[in-house]
Amino acid sequence: MSKNKIYAVITGDLVKSGKFGSDREKALKILKEALNALSNFKRKNIGGISDIFRGDSFQIVILEPASALEIAIFLKARLFSNTIKGKSIDVRIAIGIGEIESFDRKNIQESDGEAFRLSGNALDNISKYRRFSIKSNIDESNKQLKFISSSIDSITRRWSPQQAEAVLLWLSGKTQTSISKKLGISQPAVNKRLLLAGHFTLKESFELFKFLIEEYKL
């Protein structure tokens, strides 16, 4: 790999997977299906997805780091739109941005490099009240990345499963009209769900994140 090439690594795990009790295996199945669904979302930008490890953890290598935030939100929306006995499935996610020294597509959790270490570290040190974190090795960038993380945390923690489903379809490029047909609700109802889900803030967060990534590459 080129010396100065920048990647993003997403490390995540299920939130309180033990709360599902006997349905824990069902929750893990939904997680695996959500990870598989990423193959149809930003496919060219994804370098690899790990198997589930440490019970309910996973890693995703992003070849084009500017797309990492959208990929992370797609995954959260896909999971949050699912419920087990009325409880939504959520994940803690940490994004690390940096170089990669070794990358084994068949055994991603054995790979190593700055992006892996930043991501794993961020997840290990995430506050129990938080579920999202982004880290680079540049202090100035981290101040703004922390703001993005806090915004994402605040928005996604308030989602309903129905709002998450609308966000998922919106991220997939569907228009509000096509979403309304898919969900069997009116277009104004779709618009309300997206507004309550904070899709304008999400869009602006994606744009700021991409700008910071481009600055980071320089």
Side-chain angles (χ1 to χ4, degrees):
M1 295 183 179
S2 59
K3 184 177 179 181
N4 296 318
K5 168 69 176 171
I6 300 301
Y7 298 84
V9 171
I10 295 173
T11 304
D13 57 21
L14 289 177
V15 173
K16 298 180 180 177
S17 59
K19 72 181 179 181
F20 296 110
S22 60
D23 291 314
R24 187 173 184 276
E25 287 304 315
K26 184 177 180 180
L28 288 173
K29 181 182 178 182
I30 293 172
L31 172 59
K32 290 176 183 177
E33 290 172 348
L35 290 170
N36 288 336
L38 290 176
S39 63
N40 293 318
F41 182 75
K42 307 285 184 184
R43 179 188 301 179
K44 293 180 180 179
N45 295 347
I46 297 176
I49 301 172
S50 74
D51 294 327
I52 303 298
F53 61 96
R54 292 197 305 191
D56 61 2
S57 300
F58 59 89
Q59 286 189 312
I60 306 167
V61 177
I62 314 297
L63 303 177
E64 293 298 333
S67 65
L69 186 57
E70 289 178 69
I71 290 168
I73 298 305
F74 179 93
L75 182 61
K76 283 186 75 75
R78 172 74 186 238
L79 287 166
F80 213 89
S81 63
N82 286 273
T83 60
I84 297 177
K85 294 180 179 177
K87 298 176 182 177
S88 287
I89 301 173
D90 199 4
V91 283
R92 300 188 312 152
I93 282 179
I95 302 173
I97 303 161
E99 296 181 26
I100 289 179
E101 295 163 14
S102 63
F103 177 31
D104 184 347
R105 290 176 185 269
K106 294 182 179 179
N107 195 9
I108 289 175
Q109 55 267 39
E110 293 298 321
S111 301
D112 191 25
E114 181 181 55
F116 283 99
R117 293 190 290 271
L118 286 167
S119 178
N121 229 8
L123 189 69
D124 288 341
N125 292 295
I126 202 167
S127 163
K128 67 177 181 178
Y129 302 110
R130 302 287 295 274
R131 294 182 182 174
F132 209 91
S133 181
I134 311 172
K135 293 288 184 181
S136 75
N137 67 355
I138 297 179
D139 290 339
E140 191 61 36
S141 293
N142 283 331
K143 292 177 182 178
Q144 297 175 79
L145 292 173
K146 185 176 181 180
F147 175 76
I148 293 174
S149 299
S150 297
S151 298
I152 295 296
D153 232 345
S154 177
I155 290 167
T156 58
R157 290 289 288 271
R158 297 198 303 266
W159 278 352
S160 69
Q162 294 77 18
Q163 290 167 5
E165 185 178 30
V167 169
L168 182 65
L169 293 169
W170 168 67
L171 286 171
S172 299
K174 305 290 186 183
T175 65
Q176 290 193 16
T177 299
S178 62
I179 294 173
S180 70
K181 291 178 180 177
K182 173 77 173 177
L183 300 182
I185 59 177
S186 68
Q187 184 274 325
V190 170
N191 186 56
K192 183 177 180 180
R193 285 188 187 182
L194 288 173
L195 285 172
L196 290 174
H199 80 300
F200 282 129
T201 301
L202 288 174
K203 184 178 179 181
E204 291 178 2
S205 295
F206 296 155
E207 291 172 354
L208 176 57
F209 182 77
K210 289 175 181 177
F211 170 78
L212 291 174
I213 293 298
E214 290 305 314
E215 288 292 297
Y216 182 43
K217 284 181 178 179
L218 295 177

